[in-house]
Each structure stands twice: as structure tokens, then as C-alpha cells.
Amino acid sequence: MTTTFRFAPSPNGELHLGHAYSALLNASLARRRGGRFLLRIEDIDTIRCTPAFEAGIISDLEWLGLRWEEPVRRQSEHFDAYRAALKRLIDGGLVYAAFMSRGEVRAYIERTTGGETAWPRDPDGAPHYPPVDRSLSVGERRRRIEAGHPFAWRLDMASAVAAAGTGLSWCEFADETLGGSQETAADPAAWGDVVIGRRELPTSYHLSVVVDDALQAVTHVVRGRDLHAATSVHRLLQRLLGLPAPSYFHHRLVVDADGRKLSKSLGGTGLRALREGGATPSDIRAMVGIREAISPSALSRP
Ligand code: GLU
């Protein structure tokens, strides 16, 4: 099978040095392994993602010397594929309609714990969704949906983990040369009942990413450490949907002068600003610790 890498930015802001590192690393691994390098635009959030940000991302990546296979996959053009995957989970009874707003969740937790006992939180720090809607009767659920109550589709995590069976793990590489690897146990339950279909969309980040990695035959997912815990959910969805499991490497994050992770509020680390301030692509490579220059001709494959 052809080795395939991808860089998958969301066009809801400008690229910063952290994105540059991730894109350059993926492209350089693809080149060294004679593999494919894909660009995927993760724009399911059609309100926060804009064509202007997308154009800026493409221009910055080209300026860095990167080339990728065309056509670029743009997630907002593939809602049907995600809807079909969501339907499989609905038909399998593995997701349920979740009606509570964020405020209602907060109030429920406050009432239940009296502010005293700890309530479980997911690896991103959000409280687990309360076990209320999961146990609504079929009739009540139908009544609310027919009455037009807004809802998201949440994974019934306990049922999903049971359906997936044992031995859920992934192959995680040890370093950025993809030299060694070790099997890492997945712990999807740490997330509670995650959102699989958002209120206004037939998908979520987790669902789109696993559907697309499979459709694009991605063999190596190389992305930031901040997504390490999310891989547990991805492995679970892959198992439930019968999709192949790529190998993973969760790379270091580029940090600012104070050691903090870079965010969309760029500071001095935005590629556009660095470019306009006179930095060259090789300055950027040096700043993120990728030494080798990437020759566009080595990357553009017919
Ligand atoms: N679109 C995600 C982001 O920009 C990356 C998803 C991934 O690499 O799996 O953070």
C-alpha cells in the first residue's frame, strides 16, 4: 500500500509556526518514504471557517515550498459521506439524541454534585455529558425530535466500547523520524459521550477525520500532541465503522517564548506576519527545527 501522509488544517484562522512544523514534517516524511502528501481542508464549521482563511493557508504553504496532490479534499463538500457514517451508528443504536444545552449541563452537574464532588471531565477539560438523555424512553425521544427540539448526536460510550470489543490500541511512532513504534492502548471512555453529529451538522471533527483518513487511504497520521487523547475516539470509531487503522505520530508542539502552546491569536508567530517582516522559508524551517529544504519537484506527483 502506498504510504500516505496528510496535513489537515481548519481554515478558521491564519497558520502559525506550529502549523508550519506539522506541514513541513508531513511533507518531508512523505518525500523520504516515496509516499503521497495530501492537503485536507477541515472546514465543517462553515461559520468560523472562511474562504479567505483557506486562500491564506494555501498561499502560506506554497510559499513554504510545499506541493500536494490535487484535488484538495474540502470537508464541507462531503457532508453526504459523513451523514452515511452517522447513519450506520444511529442504525446500530450506538448514538443518541442529546438535547441539553451547555447551561443545562452545568446546572445539572451543580444540582447533582452540590458543587462538592468532582464530576468527570474529558481530556480537554469539558465535563462529561450527564446520563440523562441516554435513558429517555423511545417515545419521549421521538416526541422531542418531532416537536423540533434541537439536539446533537452523542456516542453512547459504554455501548460503543462494549460493541468495539477488547484490544483497542494503535501503533504510535517514537520520534519524528518514525524510527521505533509501540502499541498504545486506547481509552475512549475518558471522553464520556462525545458529540458525533453536531446540532446543525451531520458530523463532528471526530467523525469527519476518521471517514476522510479512510477514504483517502491515509496510512500515517502525523499531527500535534494536543490530539493524542482524541486518537482513542478515532480508533473506537474506526473499529465501529469497519475502517482501517493508520499508524500515528503525535509530534511536539511549537511553543512561544513563554513556553505556551501557540494559538490562533498568533502574537509574533503567524506565518503571514513573519513573511511580511522579511523571513524566508528557510528561516521558518530553522525556527521550527526542520533542516532539510523541500524541493517542490520532489513533492509534486502526477
Ligand atoms: N483540523 C485539525 C486542526 O486543525 C487537525 C486534525 C488532524 O490532524 O487530525 O487542529
Side-chain angles (χ1 to χ4, degrees):
M1 198 202 302
T2 316
T3 312
T4 303
F5 293 80
R6 86 318 191 256
F7 175 58
S10 295
N12 56 9
E14 290 177 19
L15 295 189
H16 54 54
L17 286 174
H19 298 109
Y21 169 63
S22 199
L24 287 164
L25 179 59
N26 271 285
S28 121
L29 287 167
R31 190 181 60 81
R32 269 186 268 153
R33 296 186 162 226
R36 303 164 66 210
F37 174 60
L38 310 179
L39 172 66
R40 183 164 78 223
I41 299 294
E42 301 212 325
D43 60 349
I44 57 168
D45 186 337
T46 46
I47 295 176
R48 292 175 62 223
C49 296
T50 68
F53 281 134
E54 182 186 315
I57 286 173
I58 288 181
S59 149
D60 285 348
L61 294 175
E62 284 177 346
W63 172 77
L64 277 176
L66 298 177
R67 298 292 180 271
W68 45 86
E69 284 184 24
E70 298 286 347
V72 167
R73 186 171 173 91
R74 196 172 287 112
Q75 290 190 324
S76 59
E77 293 169 354
H78 297 281
F79 284 121
D80 282 354
Y82 313 133
R83 197 174 282 114
L86 176 61
K87 183 170 181 315
R88 281 187 62 177
L89 297 172
I90 296 171
D91 292 348
L94 296 172
V95 290
Y96 63 88
F99 298 96
M100 290 166 93
S101 66
R102 253 187 232 168
E104 286 168 336
V105 168
R106 222 176 300 124
Y108 175 91
I109 294 171
E110 187 64 33
R111 241 184 359 260
T112 311
T113 63
E116 307 261 309
T117 354
W119 183 265
R121 288 182 176 268
D122 72 23
D124 285 347
H128 281 198
Y129 193 74
V132 175
D133 296 334
R134 195 200 300 154
S135 42
L136 284 183
S137 69
V138 176
E140 174 59 13
R141 197 172 284 164
R142 188 171 316 124
R143 190 193 67 73
R144 291 194 194 181
I145 293 175
E146 280 166 8
H149 290 269
F151 66 94
W153 289 105
R154 283 184 179 264
L155 197 64
D156 179 341
M157 185 55 81
S159 305
V161 166
T166 53
L168 197 62
S169 64
W170 74 84
C171 166
E172 175 79 27
F173 291 107
D175 61 41
E176 66 173 38
T177 69
L178 308 188
S181 67
Q182 65 172 27
E183 213 47 34
T184 302
D187 180 20
W191 289 92
D193 293 353
V194 279
V195 173
I196 296 298
R198 293 207 217 158
R199 282 189 176 203
E200 70 293 1
L201 292 173
T203 191
S204 65
Y205 159 63
H206 296 306
L207 186 61
S208 309
V209 93
V210 300
V211 167
D212 282 354
D213 283 338
L215 271 169
Q216 297 190 289
V218 171
T219 55
H220 292 66
V221 172
V222 174
R223 60 186 178 192
R225 252 177 221 165
D226 50 341
L227 290 170
H228 185 273
T231 302
S232 286
V233 177
H234 300 171
R235 285 293 300 118
L236 176 62
L237 291 174
Q238 285 155 359
R239 176 78 68 87
L240 297 173
L241 294 167
L243 304 174
S247 299
Y248 290 84
F249 175 56
H250 294 91
H251 60 64
R252 65 184 161 85
L253 299 179
V254 178
V255 291
D256 67 13
D258 300 322
R260 279 185 309 242
K261 181 185 150 187
L262 304 185
S263 66
K264 297 273 175 192
S265 54
L266 312 169
T269 66
L271 287 190
R272 177 58 48 91
L274 288 162
R275 233 172 119 171
E276 285 167 5
T280 65
S282 83
D283 293 335
I284 304 293
R285 282 196 300 275
M287 288 165 96
V288 300
I290 293 219
R291 239 165 290 140
E292 105 198 79
I294 305 214
S295 135
S297 59
L299 280 170
S300 53
R301 291 159 57 89

